[in-house]
Amino acid sequence: MLPNLITKTIQLQDGREITIETGALAKQADGSVVVRMGNAMILATVVAKKDALEGVDFLPLSVDYQEKFASSGKIPGGFLKREGRLSDYEILISRIVDRAIRPIFPDDYHADTQVAITLMSYDSEVLPDCLAGLAASAALSVSDIPFNGPISEVRVAKIDGKLVINPSPKSLEQATLEFIVAGSLDYILMVEGEANEIAEEEMLEAMQFAHEEIKRHCQAQIELTAMVGKEIKRTYSHEKSDAALYDKMKAELYDKLFASVSKQIANKTERSALIKAIKDEFVANLGTEHEFEASLIGPYFHKIHKEAARNLTLETKKRLDGRALNEIRPIWSVVDYLPSAHGSAVFTRGETQSVTTCTLGTKMDEQMIDGAVISGYNKFYLHYNFPGFSTGEVKPNRGPGRREVGHGNLAMRALKKVLPPVEENPYTIRIVSDILESNGSSSMATVCAGSLALMDAGIPIKAPVTGIAMGMISDAKTGNYAILSDILGDEDHLGDMDFKVTGTEKGITACQMDLKVEGLDYSVLKEALYQAKEGRLHILSEISKTLAAPKTDLKPHTPRSFMMWIPKELIGAVIGPGGKVIQEIQKDTGATIIIEEVENQGKINVFSANQANMDAAIKRIKAIVAQPEIGEVYTGKVKNIQPFGAFVEFMPGKDGLLHISEIKWERLESMEGVLEPGEEISVKLIDVDKKTGKFKLSRKALLPKPEKPVS
């Protein structure tokens, strides 16, 4: 007997349907739903502990999105043949959901909470990532876990000039903009995506269009919550409070902290030391014998410091480091910093610094992607590294975390929009950004350094790309707000918005926005976008002083490339039996040769840092694929001798018969002593048999004809 299912249906504007079902699967979880669109089915579950751990003053939330290979009828590759650690793609989706739901939990809720989102069935017409946020929110909505939702996420794209919600993967290939937008019933929470150098108004239009759809999703979840009877959430008490201690700290420390931040010290270390000294002094004067809860001193101090820093900006329109609201920190940059790299750049903005390299490889260096949903090869990838020393911390190197994956992906999306078309670019391109200093927006430093490194490597990008991180501090009671350009790490932590925008002089190529405040008006977002544009163009003018356009030539040690097309039927001749021919050419010349069938033709790419080696490889390939022409003279090698003549290889892989009658004008009775195997001789192609395609050669045609007949 089937369980009692509760289902809610959402109809998209184009008639497609999304259904949310609960009551059948994973019933021991605090909340579980199955979200379905077409044949795509996502199971989302949420479990939370009743109590918080002692001393925890934050939300220990984990979000994991995973795609089962069986969902698309695949078996995992590798030796284990089972799903392993999350792929970068799954991590990116997990991050998007996390960033959307984390701000919606109550500030004083600190119980360990886990959201698991699993793709159970795949539909080639549905991209599942645009349903993950809806599924997570719905699972929370049907649970008793405190949650100030619901929220939802949708993908908005512009295809053929029209905005579309949750388009198919095929139609998305033609999109000029593509954003994942998350929001609640009342406001936008998160935006991430890329675009083809669009204007700010176009981006705002897409966000508003997406929000209208999100509102409908949220309303459906509110109705679903009522259907399952989960309007009342569990009670909890995860924070201790001590009003007397807070009042004492506020009275003694606020003015000191406000005076401290008002000094507007540019150096992060000095600024932090001054704040720490105020806290240490308070703790020392408090003594050991007091009736206050000591564990609350840290959180209360942070709260008062945050209030003082925010009020400084709101009241004086000045910032922690003394800059004006729209002022960018000093910038310096250099290219060709690393002499052995194919392209390199150092970009420094204030106390944030990236050393970035660009390496050019062949098709064999392409990144293979073997996922449950996405498979194939990637010719452009960017890796972002964030070592502990960049912030003056001791931190073991354990490989890239989710933050590194997310920051690298944002920079990659920003830069890929200006790369030359695939058919014009023979190289696999790897960008690596090593952050050596960090105090605000190292991902945007990566974009700037990556743009410079690409140009230094000689890649003909359409235009340089720069990026900027915007912040905001606001007061909901008064409506007062301040938009900050090029935010510090502290301003990111203390502020209400982190809005990263990248683009060229022409328009926006990528963005990532996280909001921590409710009810942000679109007019404020518009102001932030235009202030970001002003900042981007300033940064562009600064890096243009270093390098304004791609270098016209590659570095001497960078592999050159040569591309040629051959008839499909000659691919085998170039490769040879078991790869013998192509391997021999590569061994003899040192060049790298890539051959593949493209659109019913053979495409050959030759790579070599040595021009002589490349020329030698090209010559041998051309000799193999050259078509024999009647009347042409060739230098051939005798392969074997028969009583009736000799077989001569006159072109690579092509043998012809040199009949005994065509060797000399004189009549030969036998082949004995006339030619030797391996001997090189000149021959002329005199005919090709129309039926068999066999070649007929002549040597005597190249010899002077005797004046008198010979016998």
Side-chain angles (χ1 to χ4, degrees):
M1 180 179 177
L2 290 174
N4 182 29
L5 300 181
I6 299 175
T7 304
K8 189 67 185 175
T9 300
I10 303 168
Q11 190 168 58
L12 300 180
Q13 295 176 2
D14 59 4
R16 292 176 298 163
E17 289 187 346
I18 300 173
T19 61
I20 309 172
E21 176 187 283
T22 187
L25 304 183
K27 291 188 288 183
Q28 293 189 47
D30 289 324
S32 71
V33 298
V34 173
V35 172
R36 179 167 184 164
M37 182 175 175
N39 288 332
M41 297 174 65
I42 291 178
L43 169 68
T45 64
V46 58
V47 178
K49 292 184 177 180
K50 297 292 192 296
D51 300 311
L53 291 174
E54 184 71 27
V56 172
D57 61 352
F58 62 94
L59 174 62
L61 171 68
S62 63
V63 179
D64 292 314
Y65 170 85
Q66 187 174 42
E67 297 176 342
K68 297 295 186 181
F69 276 76
S71 69
S72 56
K74 292 182 180 180
I75 294 176
F79 293 103
L80 297 179
K81 298 298 180 185
R82 67 178 298 166
E83 288 80 3
R85 66 177 293 275
L86 299 185
S87 66
D88 284 1
Y89 172 71
E90 291 166 323
I91 287 172
L92 291 169
I93 298 173
S94 301
R95 275 175 51 84
I96 285 174
V97 176
D98 186 301
R99 287 160 43 207
I101 65 174
R102 187 177 290 273
I104 302 301
F105 283 90
D107 291 339
D108 59 350
Y109 182 74
H110 305 318
D112 201 354
T113 304
Q114 183 179 41
V115 178
I117 310 161
T118 307
L119 177 67
M120 308 293 286
S121 177
Y122 173 61
D123 186 331
S124 61
E125 292 299 309
V126 178
L127 284 165
D129 57 347
C130 60
L131 302 174
L134 168 62
S137 175
L140 284 161
S141 296
V142 300
S143 76
D144 68 341
I145 297 171
F147 179 62
N148 297 328
I151 64 100
S152 187
E153 290 176 345
V154 299
R155 172 176 276 105
V156 58
K158 180 169 278 190
I159 302 168
D160 296 329
K162 183 180 179 182
L163 290 171
V164 181
I165 296 295
N166 295 352
S168 68
K170 187 68 176 176
S171 61
L172 196 60
E173 294 174 3
Q174 310 302 319
T176 56
L177 65 83
E178 173 210 342
F179 299 119
I180 292 282
V181 181
S184 67
L185 197 61
D186 301 313
Y187 54 92
I188 293 290
L189 289 163
M190 190 276 307
V191 181
E192 179 158 329
E194 59 190 64
N196 295 349
E197 300 177 278
I198 63 168
E200 283 69 17
E201 293 89 345
E202 197 171 352
M203 180 174 172
L204 280 171
E205 179 191 16
M207 291 167 60
Q208 290 175 302
F209 184 80
H211 194 203
E212 290 305 310
E213 183 64 38
I214 287 169
K215 291 176 183 178
R216 299 173 61 245
H217 294 196
C218 292
Q219 186 58 47
Q221 291 178 75
I222 291 171
E223 295 169 10
L224 180 67
T225 302
M227 291 167 68
V228 298
K230 290 292 183 179
E231 298 97 327
I232 298 175
K233 304 300 182 180
R234 70 178 66 162
T235 58
Y236 65 94
S237 179
H238 294 165
E239 281 191 355
K240 296 179 180 178
S241 62
D242 190 331
L245 175 61
Y246 179 76
D247 291 342
K248 175 181 175 63
M249 292 182 67
K250 181 74 177 288
E252 291 185 22
L253 298 177
Y254 179 82
D255 289 342
K256 292 181 180 180
L257 287 168
F258 190 86
S260 176
V261 296
S262 297
K263 293 181 179 180
Q264 300 174 335
I265 300 171
N267 184 276
K268 178 178 71 170
T269 303
E270 294 177 14
R271 194 167 59 244
S272 299
L274 197 59
I275 298 299
K276 184 177 182 299
I278 296 173
K279 180 181 177 182
D280 291 344
E281 181 186 14
F282 174 80
V283 172
N285 292 336
L286 195 60
T288 56
E289 295 183 5
H290 57 79
E291 67 277 16
F292 300 122
E293 177 61 55
S295 64
L296 295 176
I297 293 176
Y300 285 169
F301 183 85
H302 172 73
K303 183 178 179 180
I304 298 165
H305 174 222
K306 181 176 179 179
E307 183 181 353
R310 289 168 63 89
N311 286 343
L312 168 74
T313 300
L314 289 172
E315 294 171 11
T316 68
K317 301 305 178 185
K318 289 289 185 179
R319 302 164 65 173
L320 295 176
D321 60 353
R323 284 181 291 151
L325 300 183
N326 64 345
E327 186 178 347
I328 312 299
R329 287 172 289 177
I331 292 170
W332 67 265
S333 59
V334 296
V335 296
D336 200 17
Y337 183 74
L338 304 173
S340 296
H342 296 162
S344 65
V346 179
F347 176 85
T348 306
R349 184 195 60 243
E351 294 176 307
T352 296
Q353 183 178 75
S354 169
V355 173
T356 295
T357 57
C358 174
T359 306
L360 309 183
T362 69
K363 182 176 176 61
M364 292 187 292
D365 297 306
E366 289 180 355
Q367 180 185 32
M368 185 175 73
I369 301 171
D370 180 27
V373 172
I374 298 177
S375 299
Y377 293 88
N378 186 12
K379 286 188 67 173
F380 174 61
Y381 43 97
L382 188 151
H383 294 145
Y384 165 100
N385 299 314
F386 192 82
F389 66 76
S390 66
T391 54
E393 298 174 275
V394 176
K395 186 175 73 173
N397 183 3
R398 294 290 182 265
R402 292 191 176 193
R403 179 183 179 278
E404 284 86 346
V405 172
H407 279 32
N409 179 70
L410 175 60
M412 182 275 295
R413 298 178 87 167
L415 293 170
K416 78 174 185 179
K417 290 298 182 180
V418 297
L419 292 177
V422 174
E423 57 273 14
E424 298 176 15
N425 173 38
Y427 294 107
T428 295
I429 303 174
R430 182 188 184 222
I431 303 288
V432 178
S433 171
D434 290 299
I435 303 303
L436 305 188
E437 290 185 61
S438 179
N439 184 15
S441 193
S442 53
S443 62
M444 296 297 94
T446 296
V447 172
C448 299
S451 186
L452 286 169
L454 281 165
M455 293 192 293
D456 182 51
I459 296 297
I461 60 175
K462 287 194 293 184
V465 182
T466 56
I468 188 171
M470 308 295 295
M472 184 184 70
I473 294 173
S474 62
D475 185 341
K477 295 179 181 178
T478 64
N480 189 17
Y481 67 90
I483 297 173
L484 315 176
S485 296
D486 179 24
I487 57 174
L488 302 168
D490 286 345
E491 290 172 331
D492 180 11
H493 185 60
L494 299 171
D496 301 321
M497 177 178 75
D498 180 13
F499 195 176
K500 300 180 177 74
V501 189
T502 75
T504 65
E505 187 175 16
K506 183 178 177 182
I508 295 168
T509 60
C511 79
Q512 183 182 94
M513 181 180 74
D514 293 297
L515 289 175
K516 311 167 193 175
V517 62
E518 299 181 5
L520 184 63
D521 192 86
Y522 279 103
S523 63
V524 180
L525 277 178
K526 183 176 182 179
E527 184 179 341
L529 274 171
Y530 276 97
Q531 191 168 315
K533 180 179 181 180
E534 173 190 304
R536 283 193 295 107
L537 295 179
H538 168 76
I539 297 170
L540 179 61
S541 69
E542 291 297 307
I543 70 168
S544 295
K545 297 173 184 176
T546 301
L547 187 60
K551 292 183 176 179
T552 56
D553 195 13
L554 305 173
K555 303 284 177 66
H557 53 279
T558 299
R560 266 59 178 171
S561 96
F562 176 84
M563 187 185 75
M564 61 187 295
W565 296 88
I566 63 172
K568 175 184 173 182
E569 57 271 17
L570 293 178
I571 294 176
V574 176
I575 296 174
K580 179 180 178 181
V581 174
I582 195 169
Q583 289 173 14
E584 186 177 302
I585 297 173
Q586 291 184 115
K587 181 180 178 182
D588 293 345
T589 65
T592 299
I593 303 169
I594 309 294
I595 184 166
E596 56 187 325
E597 184 180 332
V598 178
E599 298 178 353
N600 214 31
Q601 293 186 82
K603 181 183 178 183
I604 300 178
N605 276 300
V606 183
F607 297 89
S608 177
N610 183 298
Q611 191 63 47
N613 291 349
M614 175 175 281
D615 292 342
I618 293 169
K619 181 179 179 181
R620 289 179 62 169
I621 294 170
K622 286 184 174 180
I624 295 172
V625 301
Q627 297 300 304
E629 296 183 25
I630 295 176
E632 283 294 314
V633 177
Y634 301 94
T635 298
K637 182 181 291 187
V638 177
K639 301 296 286 186
N640 64 73
I641 298 173
Q642 300 293 330
F644 52 83
F647 285 97
V648 178
E649 185 181 40
F650 66 98
M651 291 179 66
K654 294 179 174 61
D655 295 348
L657 174 61
L658 178 62
H659 194 267
I660 191 171
S661 64
E662 292 293 337
I663 296 175
K664 293 182 178 182
W665 289 102
E666 296 85 3
R667 179 182 176 84
L668 297 175
E669 297 296 333
S670 74
M671 289 295 296
E672 187 175 349
V674 177
L675 296 171
E676 296 290 337
E679 182 180 349
E680 288 191 353
I681 59 173
S682 295
V683 293
K684 183 177 183 179
L685 179 61
I686 57 174
D687 196 15
V688 181
D689 190 293
K690 293 181 180 179
K691 291 184 179 180
T692 64
K694 293 181 177 179
F695 302 107
K696 298 179 180 179
L697 305 174
S698 173
R699 183 168 176 260
K700 76 177 186 181
L702 303 177
L703 302 174
K705 186 175 182 180
E707 295 181 2
K708 295 181 180 180
V710 294
S711 58

